[in-house]
Amino acid sequence: MLAVVEGHPARQIRQEIDGETRLSGLGVAAEAVKGRVRWSNKLRQDHRLLAALEKLMQRLGPAGSRVPVQNVAKVVPFVGVFIGASMNSAILGSVAADAQRYC
């Protein structure tokens, strides 16, 4: 039983670290777009999430429209909330599954 109690926190910590690296990458991307006016190839290459959001917003908007950096910057916090909620849900599901398994 002790191995179970010790094993679960290690797995949970690994999951949290994986999620936090994703969120920190999102934070770096948010800092990169803060105050920017134009897109650059370097920005798109360094922050693939921003490039993906730009493509998604282009597809959702009118055909042939350009998406300003400011509009993508406004969406980044919502993506962070979605990623954070997903991480919390996964970790909580893991804890609940372990609780059912061992209780």
Side-chain angles (χ1 to χ4, degrees):
M1 183 70 167
L2 185 60
V4 170
V5 172
E6 291 176 355
H8 176 72
R11 183 177 67 238
Q12 184 177 358
I13 289 170
R14 279 193 301 272
Q15 288 175 343
E16 288 178 13
I17 290 172
D18 289 344
E20 285 186 22
T21 55
R22 283 186 227 124
L23 281 178
S24 69
L26 187 62
V28 170
E31 286 294 319
V33 281
K34 188 185 296 184
R36 289 190 68 106
V37 177
R38 294 196 174 111
W39 285 101
S40 69
N41 287 331
K42 183 172 178 9
L43 180 66
R44 288 183 180 109
Q45 290 170 355
D46 291 348
H47 305 287
R48 293 180 300 163
L49 177 68
L50 295 176
L53 285 173
E54 178 192 20
K55 286 182 182 179
L56 176 68
M57 292 174 78
Q58 281 176 343
R59 288 184 180 169
L60 294 176
S65 65
R66 304 189 89 183
V67 179
V69 177
Q70 295 92 349
N71 289 0
V72 174
K74 291 176 186 175
V75 174
V76 170
F78 295 106
V79 174
V81 167
F82 179 74
I83 291 172
S86 300
M87 286 178 8
N88 289 342
S89 173
I91 292 170
L92 185 60
S94 163
V95 170
D98 286 347
Q100 287 178 344
R101 188 177 312 126
Y102 298 111
C103 289

